[in-house]
Amino acid sequence: MVRPMHDSATAPERVRTRFEERARDFDDLYEDERWLVRTLRPGLFRRRRLAVETVAAYTAPRVLDVGCGSGRIGEFVLEAGAGHYVGVDFSEPMIDLARSRLERFADRTQLIVDDFLTAPLRGEFDVILAVGLFDYLPEPHTFSRRMFALCAPGGCVVGSFPTWSWLKGPIRKVRYEWIGNCPIFNYSRRELELMFGASGFDRVEIRSPGRSGYLVRAYRA
Ligand SMILES: C[S@@+](CC[C@H](N)C(=O)[O-])C[C@H]1O[C@@H](n2cnc3c(N)ncnc32)[C@H](O)[C@@H]1O
C-alpha cells in the first residue's frame, strides 16, 4: 500500500474532522441516482450494487456497515432484506443524516457514533460493508482483522478500494490532501490479497470494474 508521509496518529483525527465539517457535501456527492453522478462516477453505483446483491443472497442477514456515513447504502441493503443493520461511523453529523434517512427501518437498525476499532460491537455479522472507507485508513490491516473477528462463518466483507490512476490520482491528492487536509490511500491487487489473507479470510474475490479502483468480496469459510 502506498503510505507516504502520513502520521498515523493524526490521520484518523483529520479524517474525522473532514467528515464532520463536510457531512452534507459528502452526502450530496454520493447521490448516485442523478444522471450526472452516474455518468461521472459509475463506481459509486457499482459498489452499491455489489453490496445490495451480496445482502440479497442471504436470508435476513445481520449487516454491519463500517463507515456507514449518511446511510445511503444502508437504505438500499435494508430494502434488499437485511434482517438487522448496524451502522458505525465516527462522524456524528454523518450519523445524524443516516438516522433521518433510515428512520422507517428503526426497528431493525442500530447506529453507533464511534471509531470502528474501538466501537462496542458484539456478535457476528453475515455481511460486513466497507464501502468508501479504506480510502482513508493509514493502518488498514487493523480494520480487516477486526472485520474478520466480527464476521460469521459463511459470511463476507464487501469493500471498495481506490487504486492509483494518473487520471484521477493527482486530482484526488490535491483535493483531499492539499486542500482538505485529509489523508487518502491507494491499493494494489496484491496488497489486497495479502491483507485479507493475513487477516484470516479464506477466499478473496477481487474485481476491477474501472480504472480507479477495486471491489473486493472476502469470505470466511
Ligand atoms: C466516503 S464516506 C462513505 C460512506 C458510506 N459508506 C457510503 O458509501 O455512502 C466514509 C465514511 O467513513 C467514516 N470513517 C472513516 N474512518 C472511520 C473510522 N475509523 N471509524 C468509523 N468511521 C470512519 C467517515 O466518517 C465517513 O463517513
Side-chain angles (χ1 to χ4, degrees), residues 152-166:
C156 67
V157 168
V158 175
S160 65
F161 297 81
T163 193
W164 175 261
S165 98
W166 281 105

Side-chain angles (χ1 to χ4, degrees), residues 85-161:
Y85 171 89
V86 178
V88 54
D89 200 296
F90 63 10
S91 160
E92 194 155 10
M94 284 301 227
I95 289 282
D96 286 344
L97 290 168
R99 196 166 290 116
S100 48
R101 176 161 286 124
L102 305 181
E103 207 173 354
R104 69 197 151 106
F105 304 107
D107 56 331
R108 40 190 177 117
T109 297
Q110 185 189 0
L111 294 169
I112 301 171
V113 183
D114 208 337
D115 190 311
F116 171 62
L117 293 178
T118 50
L121 295 163
R122 263 174 285 283
E124 291 176 327
F125 295 88
D126 304 297
V127 180
I128 300 180
L129 303 175
V131 178
L133 170 78
F134 277 92
D135 310 36
Y136 307 100
L137 305 182
E139 292 178 348
H141 292 86
T142 54
F143 282 68
S144 58
R145 276 199 292 269
R146 184 154 205 224
M147 287 174 191
F148 181 77
L150 291 166
C151 188
C156 67
V157 168
V158 175
S160 65
F161 297 81

